[in-house]
Amino acid sequence: MIRKYVFGEPIETDAVEIRIPAETKAFTEDHIRLLSPGRQGGSVFVCPMSDGDRIYGLGENVRGINKRGWIYESNCSDDPNHTEEKHSLYGAHNFLIFEPAGGRERFGLFIDCGQKVIFDCGYTDRKQLRITVAEGGFVLYILENESLLDMVHEFRSMIGRSYIPPKWAFGYGQSRWGYRSAEDVRQIVREHRDQGVPLDSVYMDIDYMERFKDFTVDAGRFPDFPEFVEEMSRQHIHLVPIIDAGVKIEKGYPVYEEGLANGYFCKNEDGTPFVGGAWPGRVHFPDVLNPDARKWFGDWYRVLLDAGIEGFWNDMNEPALFYSEAYLQEAFRKLTSFRTDDLDIWKFFELKGTVLSMANRPEDFRSFYHNMNGKMIRHDRVHNLYGSNMTRAAGEAFERLSPEKRILIFSRSSCIGMHRCGGIWMGDNQSWWSHLLMNMQMLPSLNMCGFLYIGADLGGFGSDTTADLLIRWLELGIFTPLMRNHSSMGTREQEFYRFGEPETFQKIIGLRYALLPYLYSEFMKAALSGGMMFIPLAFVWPEDGMAVQTEDQLMVGESLMIAPVYRQNAAGRYVYLPEEMKLYRMRSAQDMDVEILEAGHHFVRAELGEVLIFVRADHLVPLAEGGQYVEQVNTSSLRLMHFVKEEAVYQLYDDDGYSRNVELAGHLTEIRVTAGGGITAEGAMPLKCELI
Ligand code: MIG
């Protein structure tokens, strides 16, 4: 059951795909009360909370799966320090489910708008959920449903099918900010292939461009780029270049010239293009909220598609603003004035602040405009839609330019709605053990909001990693659809071959490739049915008080539960089993030991390099032989991890890995195992199976 309420005059976000008639009577919900339908200061909703009430959702954010006890802000931010006290990261995901401890009714809530929204989940008052929508119109949806999982399905049916990448994008990717030349890339590929560590993609960060100009490739460092793309593709490697939001201001640079001539950049109040600072220096921001400008910007991806590129990542699209030209000038003036000042401590702080607070100033975000169908809309009203629409520009262009084949695209900034045209990565995390846990806890919240193709920088982006952190992180990363090792310039090098134990990496990453038939099936089934791939235990065992509190284990798809180790020097961890399960302790796809564990609390041994996979009763996990790249994985000969008490049935999904039309290309095989060990496989594809 979905009810829709319109407040003021909302700006269309295109987040919701189905037509839902708006309620004609005033807002009168039992669950949540409208405190002030204010204009200035926004609208405020409140909902009392009792002990044990929980809040799920809100997508990309810090802290646990249950969001209660902190205050979150949907305000897309370029903040590379994801510490616990932060309120916003790169995304704005305004969907939550309120799950009462007892008596009252569960409800879901989605606030559809592009301006700032504050979710005070019991921070100001422990007994109150308080939601404030900043000034401007918005649409509020209230959902009711039988269970948490049904509620997610209902929400997802509103917002439409999640983005589906090409299958190769489920392979392992190596990335680093700082690969400067074709030779750098060749070396990475050589190391992986020589040492038998599977690899499908190498990412190209801003270093590949000619002075950070979008849609250029530095000809000195990447001579004959199309030939290089071809050379890589012969080795089954996909190059994935980055695209930034800001377009360099430079006479003669065609992206700049065209954008300027057509008025496709964001504008100041006086109609001149807004000038900001980003990697290329002074930039204009393409007005991707204007449909014509969006199409124009998207068409530029063709330059790289024509060179043979099949995947992209979109960065700096919150948008990240190093400075605005206006503030820069003001800062210069101020700094000069300090020269003659006596600079007491307060003045000194002001001097420091003048420079240190230059980036991402709210005032600057209120100073420029978008042209939305002829109307000038101030940026802060639609701030949270900007990155989404940059990625939408790409997604829509790919549908035109590559109508048959799926193209990989994922974004840093996002908003609900963008889940239909791209995935996301979780941005600039750090090589901290706590961020491994944060990575895990973000996964289900993102799935709830429609984002299925997701992953974090494995090993950590900022700070120096260690071999054990990278290995433990990969032990989680082998389950995430986007599996990429990425790190920042200036940090310790993080490719597997920097650590002198190639076999460990070969085995762990190899396990990912063996699990591919299962992971791809679960991803596709989640995409096609509007379900989740990463599911909190609370959603599966809602009556089990212990399961409900377990936030460091997850179901991955229908058959298996993971319990990653996220503490340094731990040789195992505590695991809670809501029911009897079969543990596969895996050192590789071939080397494992198996035991059945009863329901309850366990300390489970997991040495470095051992992955714990718990299989549910009457469930199967198909395992392939593996391969050096996705295309090499043979999905027609499978070993079955299984825990069969009566009978287990598994629907295996597969397709050609490329076709956009998955309805046509996709096929299911039903694998059935009976208690006696009988196996049958029925479906489109001939399949050989054996039990392990
Ligand atoms: O201001 O392109 O999140 O993945 O390596 C930093 C350089 C800009 C931020 C991205 C990161 C990328 C980096 N970028």
Side-chain angles (χ1 to χ4, degrees), residues 177 205-206 242 279 313 315-316 322 412 425 428 461 486:
W177 175 14
D205 207 317
I206 48 175
I242 195 170
W279 285 105
W313 47 313
D315 191 18
M316 307 296 276
F322 290 178
R412 195 171 69 175
W425 92 100
D428 298 348
F461 175 75
H486 180 50

Side-chain angles (χ1 to χ4, degrees), residues 532-641:
M532 295 165 75
M533 184 173 172
F534 297 99
I535 312 162
L537 271 51
F539 287 35
V540 185
W541 294 276
E543 306 300 329
D544 178 333
M546 196 57 221
V548 156
Q549 289 187 50
T550 303
E551 296 205 346
D552 59 357
Q553 304 170 205
L554 289 174
M555 288 300 297
V556 181
E558 62 178 52
S559 301
L560 71 86
M561 184 182 79
I562 56 170
V565 173
Y566 55 93
R567 297 204 194 287
Q568 189 157 32
N569 300 318
R573 51 161 287 170
Y574 283 95
V575 177
Y576 176 70
L577 299 187
E579 60 190 35
E580 188 185 36
M581 289 188 191
K582 189 164 171 183
L583 165 64
Y584 286 77
R585 182 185 290 104
M586 308 192 76
R587 288 167 288 276
S588 75
Q590 282 72 36
D591 178 18
M592 66 197 85
D593 42 62
V594 185
E595 63 184 302
I596 290 172
L597 296 179
E598 62 191 30
H601 299 271
H602 300 267
F603 183 86
V604 181
R605 190 169 47 73
E607 304 284 349
L608 193 61
E610 288 184 330
V611 180
L612 303 176
I613 296 182
F614 298 86
V615 179
R616 280 190 82 173
D618 286 332
H619 283 78
L620 304 173
V621 179
L623 204 59
E625 203 47 49
Q628 289 297 296
Y629 46 90
V630 165
E631 243 185 296
Q632 215 181 43
V633 177
N634 176 2
T635 48
S636 65
S637 173
L638 301 173
R639 291 171 299 149
L640 303 174
M641 299 164 67

